[in-house]
Amino acid sequence: MRAEEQVQKSEKREAILQAALELVAENGLQHTPMSMISKRSRASAGIIYHYFESKDDLLASLYQRIKREMSRAIAARYDPQQPLVKRFQSLWLSMFHYALAHPKEMVFLEQYESIPGVKQHEGVKTLQDMAEDWQRKNPFGAENDLEAQVLHGLVRDLSAQDLLKDLPLEVIGEFTMGVALRLARQSAAGLVKLDEAALNNVARACWDAIAR
Amino acid sequence: MRAEEQVQKSEKREAILQAALELVAENGLQHTPMSMISKRSRASAGIIYHYFESKDDLLASLYQRIKREMSRAIAARYDPQQPLVKRFQSLWLSMFHYALAHPKEMVFLEQYESIPGVKQHEGVKTLQDMAEDWQRKNPFGAENDLEAQVLHGLVRDLSAQDLLKDLPLEVIGEFTMGVALRLARQSAAGLVKLDEAALNNVARACWDAIAR
Amino acid sequence: MRAEEQVQKSEKREAILQAALELVAENGLQHTPMSMISKRSRASAGIIYHYFESKDDLLASLYQRIKREMSRAIAARYDPQQPLVKRFQSLWLSMFHYALAHPKEMVFLEQYESIPGVKQHEGVKTLQDMAEDWQRKNPFGAENDLEAQVLHGLVRDLSAQDLLKDLPLEVIGEFTMGVALRLARQSAAGLVKLDEAALNNVARACWDAIAR
Amino acid sequence: MRAEEQVQKSEKREAILQAALELVAENGLQHTPMSMISKRSRASAGIIYHYFESKDDLLASLYQRIKREMSRAIAARYDPQQPLVKRFQSLWLSMFHYALAHPKEMVFLEQYESIPGVKQHEGVKTLQDMAEDWQRKNPFGAENDLEAQVLHGLVRDLSAQDLLKDLPLEVIGEFTMGVALRLARQSAAGLVKLDEAALNNVARACWDAIAR
DNA sequence: GATGAATGAGCTTTCATTCAT
DNA sequence: TATGAATGAAAGCTCATTCAT
């Protein structure tokens, strides 16, 4: 019964996280009480506090998990063998497609990061954050580093070849991840329709913005 | 004191709006109860409901006011006599500087727009929204139209001269207003430092993104 | 300007009472705040407290007025010259028709009398109340005495002739005024339809109930 | 304690209903805030909303329960074996005695039914309501039907024997249940004193009112 | 691990009443 | 007389968290 318990325990925890994700995406952070998470996940009100210290802890755990999985997925698709410019394009498309495929997660990120005093944890937006995380071995573990390393490395390589304009890292982040995630959210919400051709154009526009 | 009252349209109402703005900027929407707004504005709990129907109404009124004043300010600085490309640059800088000069308002906008089901009211982001507002004489009155007309007109003029890439309006909006506002918010929060030279570079990068 | 002021003063007071009557009839006592009475009567919130000490006082004044007018109207139609049994019948019909013609007033009475600790003031229902009022020169003045005298007198005369069963006064009241008012309310609400013939039958049934 | 819980269906819920009943009987609906119910029942403010959706729901539940128990009690005492006229008398006395034995419940009913727009739910007063309930299998379940069936059946039987005057059902209801409940309420409030002999007289008077 | 009844502080909102004008 | 902005206590209700079972 060892293995089964292991599985069951994760399943309850998983159900809670999943319910929180869905409900926050549907109703927003403010309108997602614990009782609702409890109902949707079919977990009792009490047991949630066995898995998480508090609502804040539950939300933070979910946030970390989403960030980690997104990093992993994007890093996994990254091929350092490709030519530099091509690498940028495919990284941009990776981000866009990941965001498009995970609309609930994207809404959650936006909700969570809009809490004042939380963005400090670690934002998606600034490359500098990632660079710093990288340098100070950030506490969230090696998984997040994958994406950070990829991006930071790519920017460094492009800089080394003098292919980039002289722009602050944050600005570059805004023109790449920022624009990609925002447009993906709009796509997911049906506010924009972008086919594969249009997408390549947009990726190209991003490149034009930052390329020397 | 007759005339004075007429002019200032109730300083109590103003104090309430100002308190709400500050507190939401400081603590976030979730952590700004009416009792706090009441205390900060030195207004009784009850009188707020004399001026606003509900908390939602207060927040919506504040949102509209911020959007309106921002539109006015940006449109006021717009000079249609300048050459086209120069016009784009100065419009972009107007937006950025306005956002930078009004950090509390920017935090409030971010907070307010992160409520699910509210962004639909009218977002800054898509040019299409503005075009539509323009066409259907949007309900928020002529003040908002100023900004919409300016931007829509500029994009139309640039398109007419074949100066723009073939990109959806939303994408253009993201590369212009989107990036400007986001970077301004980061500047205001002290997350990025951008001097005048760097700023011109960023404006130029935006232009590169959308220019043919 | 003397006379005009007299008129105007009564008009404002009248408007307030009338608004209170309508609103209580429409929404019930619980859902009739002073602000609503103020709006409907086009009187400011403050001025109401010039005419009435409190909400309770306003309501009590309205109650007294309704009771007084009802007494007057019913007593006015009473003809002590008619034969005894005929007198009973026409008194019963007077009550019924008055109630039918004043549905708002009837609802108000029901609302007001349902407040615990208020029915003591003076109820419509018990003949004994009226008898007592009569004996102790009740404080509400001579107008209410009219009805009390009429009813009490009629019962006394009927008793003297040994035409009534040996029933407590309250029971007789219930079979006469009680049933009349209740059926009138139902008629006004459209719950029963009673033509003149049916009405005479009901009056007769009342008589059968109390007659020896 | 399993089985016991099943049986008593939460003593907390019971305590809340009981507290509400007492307080409304003592102070009236308007002057019975939830905080008072909470204090009297020794339940926290929050738990009430675990058992009832709202104050309205709590009140409606209490109303239904009182009506249901009253129906059950009266129907239980009814003996269809007795002769017709005797049946009427004993039914009338059942109603009266039940009302007399449950003064708090009677005050509550009067309070609750005085709310505009609530009486429609289901009134005691009209026999027609009961007839309709009977025909359309009313939603409150079989318990209420007991009383409805009893009364409707009795009136039908009396009519079949041509023992009743030609009066609308509502009028008959007013002369029977209406008078019984009203007098019982007055008795309970100490406004009338009726001994067993007087009571039989009143029941007889009711019969005289409706009998041919 | 698991339940869900219970808590109580705190939320938004209402409303009788007052008071400066 | 008359106004209506202002007050503040109190209302109904929510919800993160605890705890006996």
Side-chain angles (χ1 to χ4, degrees):
Chain A
M1 219 185 241
R2 264 288 78 127
E4 191 183 344
E5 268 174 21
Q6 295 280 20
V7 167
Q8 277 187 323
K9 178 185 137 194
S10 335
E11 271 176 12
K12 261 278 193 279
R13 205 187 122 100
E14 203 55 32
I16 293 164
L17 287 167
Q18 183 62 26
L21 171 61
E22 290 172 12
L23 290 167
V24 171
E26 287 167 21
N27 313 318
L29 263 180
Q30 326 194 31
H31 300 104
T32 304
M34 290 295 259
S35 58
M36 220 177 235
I37 297 175
S38 156
K39 232 165 264 164
R40 175 77 66 100
S41 64
R42 295 170 181 282
S44 74
I47 199 63
I48 299 183
Y49 290 84
H50 176 75
Y51 291 111
F52 305 97
E53 283 185 3
S54 64
K55 190 183 187 185
D56 280 358
D57 182 44
L58 162 56
L59 260 19
S61 300
L62 180 51
Y63 180 71
Q64 297 308 333
R65 207 183 65 147
I66 292 173
K67 293 295 301 290
R68 195 186 323 123
E69 289 183 359
M70 184 170 148
S71 281
R72 271 191 199 152
I74 290 171
R77 287 189 198 119
Y78 184 69
D79 178 5
Q81 310 297 350
Q82 289 185 302
L84 268 177
V85 177
K86 175 90 186 170
R87 259 192 265 170
F88 176 86
Q89 178 108 352
S90 73
L91 184 59
W92 193 94
L93 287 170
S94 278
M95 289 178 197
F96 182 90
H97 282 129
Y98 187 87
L100 191 58
H102 298 79
K104 288 195 289 262
E105 282 82 354
M106 293 303 108
V107 174
F108 180 87
L109 290 185
E110 189 170 20
Q111 290 283 315
Y112 190 78
E113 287 167 0
S114 80
I115 305 173
V118 163
K119 215 178 288 179
Q120 287 76 335
H121 284 327
E122 184 212 15
V124 214
K125 292 176 201 117
T126 70
L127 280 171
Q128 183 163 334
D129 279 353
M130 298 184 170
E132 282 169 3
D133 287 346
W134 185 56
Q135 280 158 9
R136 60 172 141 83
K137 310 281 180 201
N138 87 359
F140 299 135
E143 293 96 340
N144 281 348
D145 278 353
L146 291 177
E147 191 191 3
Q149 284 176 38
V150 164
L151 281 154
H152 193 249
L154 179 55
V155 167
R156 199 182 36 200
D157 292 350
L158 289 165
S159 281
Q161 301 258 20
D162 205 31
L163 289 170
L164 295 185
K165 287 186 186 124
D166 183 26
L167 293 168
L169 274 175
E170 295 83 2
V171 174
I172 294 179
E174 210 45 72
F175 275 119
T176 52
M177 280 187 293
V179 170
L181 298 185
R182 222 92 51 196
L183 286 177
R185 281 174 201 177
Q186 290 188 45
S187 280
L191 299 172
V192 210
K193 294 256 181 272
L194 295 170
D195 57 24
E196 208 57 35
L199 225 44
N200 284 320
N201 286 339
V202 180
R204 173 66 204 229
C206 285
W207 173 250
D208 289 343
I210 63 172
R212 185 173 295 275
Chain B
M1 214 179 248
R2 266 281 91 103
E4 195 182 341
E5 270 172 21
Q6 297 280 20
V7 168
Q8 63 201 33
K9 197 185 175 181
S10 174
E11 54 186 34
K12 209 86 181 178
R13 196 187 129 102
E14 208 54 34
I16 293 164
L17 287 167
Q18 184 61 26
L21 171 60
E22 291 172 13
L23 290 166
V24 170
E26 287 167 22
N27 313 317
L29 264 180
Q30 322 193 33
H31 300 103
T32 304
M34 291 298 258
S35 58
M36 219 176 240
I37 297 176
S38 154
K39 235 165 259 164
R40 174 77 66 101
S41 63
R42 296 173 178 281
S44 75
I47 197 61
I48 301 183
Y49 292 85
H50 180 74
Y51 292 110
F52 306 96
E53 283 187 1
S54 63
K55 192 183 186 185
D56 280 0
D57 182 44
L58 162 56
L59 261 18
S61 298
L62 182 50
Y63 179 71
Q64 296 307 334
R65 209 181 63 147
I66 292 173
K67 294 295 300 290
R68 194 187 325 125
E69 289 182 0
M70 186 170 141
S71 281
R72 268 191 202 152
I74 291 171
R77 287 193 198 116
Y78 183 71
D79 178 6
Q81 309 297 347
Q82 290 184 302
L84 267 177
V85 177
K86 174 91 186 170
R87 260 191 265 171
F88 176 85
Q89 178 107 351
S90 73
L91 185 58
W92 193 95
L93 288 170
S94 277
M95 289 177 194
F96 183 89
H97 282 129
Y98 187 88
L100 192 57
H102 297 81
K104 289 193 290 257
E105 281 82 353
M106 293 304 109
V107 175
F108 179 87
L109 290 185
E110 191 168 17
Q111 290 283 316
Y112 189 79
E113 288 168 358
S114 80
I115 305 173
V118 164
K119 216 178 290 179
Q120 288 77 333
H121 284 327
E122 184 213 17
V124 215
K125 293 178 197 114
T126 70
L127 280 171
Q128 184 162 332
D129 279 354
M130 298 188 169
E132 282 169 2
D133 288 346
W134 185 57
Q135 280 158 9
R136 60 172 140 81
K137 312 277 181 202
N138 89 351
F140 297 135
E143 292 95 343
N144 279 350
D145 278 352
L146 293 178
E147 192 190 1
Q149 285 177 38
V150 165
L151 282 151
H152 191 249
L154 179 54
V155 167
R156 198 183 37 197
D157 292 349
L158 290 166
S159 282
Q161 302 259 22
D162 206 32
L163 290 170
L164 295 184
K165 288 186 186 124
D166 183 27
L167 293 167
L169 272 176
E170 294 83 2
V171 174
I172 294 179
E174 211 44 74
F175 274 119
T176 52
M177 281 185 294
V179 170
L181 298 184
R182 222 93 50 197
L183 285 177
R185 284 174 196 182
Q186 289 187 48
S187 280
L191 300 171
V192 210
K193 294 254 181 275
L194 294 170
D195 58 24
E196 207 57 35
L199 224 45
N200 284 320
N201 285 340
V202 180
R204 175 64 204 233
C206 284
W207 174 250
D208 289 343
I210 63 172
R212 185 174 293 275
Chain C
M1 216 183 241
R2 267 285 81 124
E4 191 182 344
E5 267 171 22
Q6 295 280 20
V7 168
Q8 277 184 325
K9 179 184 137 193
S10 336
E11 271 175 13
K12 261 276 194 280
R13 205 187 122 100
E14 203 54 33
I16 293 164
L17 287 168
Q18 183 62 27
L21 170 60
E22 291 173 11
L23 289 167
V24 170
E26 287 167 20
N27 313 316
L29 262 181
Q30 327 194 32
H31 300 105
T32 303
M34 290 296 259
S35 58
M36 221 176 236
I37 296 175
S38 156
K39 232 165 264 163
R40 175 77 66 99
S41 65
R42 295 172 181 283
S44 74
I47 200 63
I48 299 183
Y49 288 84
H50 175 74
Y51 292 110
F52 304 96
E53 280 186 6
S54 64
K55 191 183 186 185
D56 280 359
D57 181 44
L58 161 55
L59 259 20
S61 299
L62 180 50
Y63 179 71
Q64 296 311 332
R65 208 183 62 148
I66 291 173
K67 293 296 300 292
R68 195 187 323 126
E69 290 183 359
M70 185 168 146
S71 281
R72 270 192 201 151
I74 290 172
R77 285 191 201 118
Y78 183 71
D79 178 7
Q81 311 296 349
Q82 290 184 301
L84 267 178
V85 178
K86 174 91 187 173
R87 260 192 264 170
F88 176 86
Q89 177 108 351
S90 72
L91 185 58
W92 193 96
L93 287 171
S94 279
M95 290 178 194
F96 183 90
H97 283 129
Y98 187 87
L100 192 57
H102 298 81
K104 289 196 288 264
E105 281 81 353
M106 293 303 109
V107 175
F108 180 87
L109 290 185
E110 189 169 21
Q111 290 284 315
Y112 190 79
E113 287 168 359
S114 80
I115 306 173
V118 162
K119 215 178 289 179
Q120 288 77 335
H121 284 327
E122 183 212 16
V124 214
K125 291 174 201 119
T126 70
L127 280 171
Q128 182 163 334
D129 279 352
M130 298 185 169
E132 283 168 2
D133 288 346
W134 185 57
Q135 281 157 9
R136 61 172 140 83
K137 311 280 179 200
N138 86 356
F140 300 135
E143 292 96 341
N144 280 349
D145 278 352
L146 292 178
E147 192 191 1
Q149 284 177 37
V150 165
L151 282 153
H152 192 250
L154 179 54
V155 169
R156 199 182 35 197
D157 292 349
L158 289 165
S159 281
Q161 302 258 20
D162 205 33
L163 289 170
L164 296 184
K165 288 186 186 124
D166 183 27
L167 292 168
L169 275 175
E170 296 82 4
V171 174
I172 294 180
E174 208 47 70
F175 275 118
T176 51
M177 279 187 294
V179 170
L181 299 185
R182 223 92 51 198
L183 285 177
R185 282 174 200 176
Q186 290 189 46
S187 280
L191 300 172
V192 210
K193 294 255 181 272
L194 295 170
D195 56 24
E196 209 56 35
L199 224 44
N200 285 319
N201 285 340
V202 181
R204 173 66 204 232
C206 285
W207 175 250
D208 288 343
I210 63 172
R212 185 175 294 276
Chain D
M1 214 178 249
R2 265 280 91 103
E4 194 181 342
E5 269 172 23
Q6 298 281 20
V7 168
Q8 62 199 37
K9 198 187 177 179
S10 175
E11 56 187 33
K12 208 85 180 178
R13 196 187 131 103
E14 209 52 33
I16 294 164
L17 286 167
Q18 184 62 26
L21 171 61
E22 290 173 11
L23 290 166
V24 170
E26 288 167 19
N27 314 316
L29 264 181
Q30 323 193 32
H31 300 105
T32 304
M34 291 299 257
S35 57
M36 219 176 242
I37 297 175
S38 155
K39 235 163 261 165
R40 175 76 66 99
S41 64
R42 296 175 177 281
S44 73
I47 197 61
I48 300 183
Y49 293 87
H50 180 73
Y51 292 109
F52 306 96
E53 284 188 1
S54 63
K55 191 184 186 184
D56 280 359
D57 182 45
L58 162 55
L59 261 17
S61 299
L62 182 50
Y63 180 71
Q64 296 307 333
R65 208 181 64 148
I66 292 173
K67 294 295 298 289
R68 194 186 325 124
E69 289 182 359
M70 184 169 143
S71 281
R72 268 192 203 151
I74 290 172
R77 287 192 198 117
Y78 183 72
D79 178 7
Q81 311 297 346
Q82 290 183 302
L84 267 177
V85 177
K86 174 94 187 170
R87 259 193 266 171
F88 175 86
Q89 177 109 349
S90 73
L91 184 58
W92 192 95
L93 287 170
S94 277
M95 290 177 193
F96 183 90
H97 282 129
Y98 187 87
L100 191 58
H102 298 81
K104 289 195 290 261
E105 280 82 353
M106 291 305 109
V107 176
F108 180 87
L109 290 185
E110 190 168 19
Q111 290 283 315
Y112 189 79
E113 287 169 0
S114 80
I115 305 173
V118 163
K119 217 177 290 181
Q120 288 76 334
H121 284 329
E122 184 213 15
V124 214
K125 294 177 197 114
T126 70
L127 279 170
Q128 183 163 330
D129 280 352
M130 299 186 166
E132 282 169 4
D133 289 346
W134 185 57
Q135 281 159 10
R136 61 172 139 81
K137 312 277 181 201
N138 89 354
F140 298 135
E143 292 97 342
N144 281 349
D145 278 353
L146 292 177
E147 192 190 1
Q149 284 176 38
V150 164
L151 281 152
H152 191 250
L154 179 53
V155 168
R156 198 182 36 198
D157 292 349
L158 289 166
S159 282
Q161 302 259 21
D162 205 33
L163 290 169
L164 296 185
K165 287 186 185 125
D166 183 26
L167 292 167
L169 273 175
E170 294 84 2
V171 174
I172 294 179
E174 210 46 72
F175 275 119
T176 51
M177 282 186 293
V179 170
L181 298 184
R182 220 93 49 199
L183 285 177
R185 285 173 195 181
Q186 290 186 48
S187 279
L191 299 172
V192 209
K193 293 253 181 279
L194 295 170
D195 57 24
E196 207 58 34
L199 225 44
N200 285 318
N201 286 340
V202 181
R204 173 65 205 230
C206 285
W207 175 250
D208 289 341
I210 63 172
R212 185 175 294 274

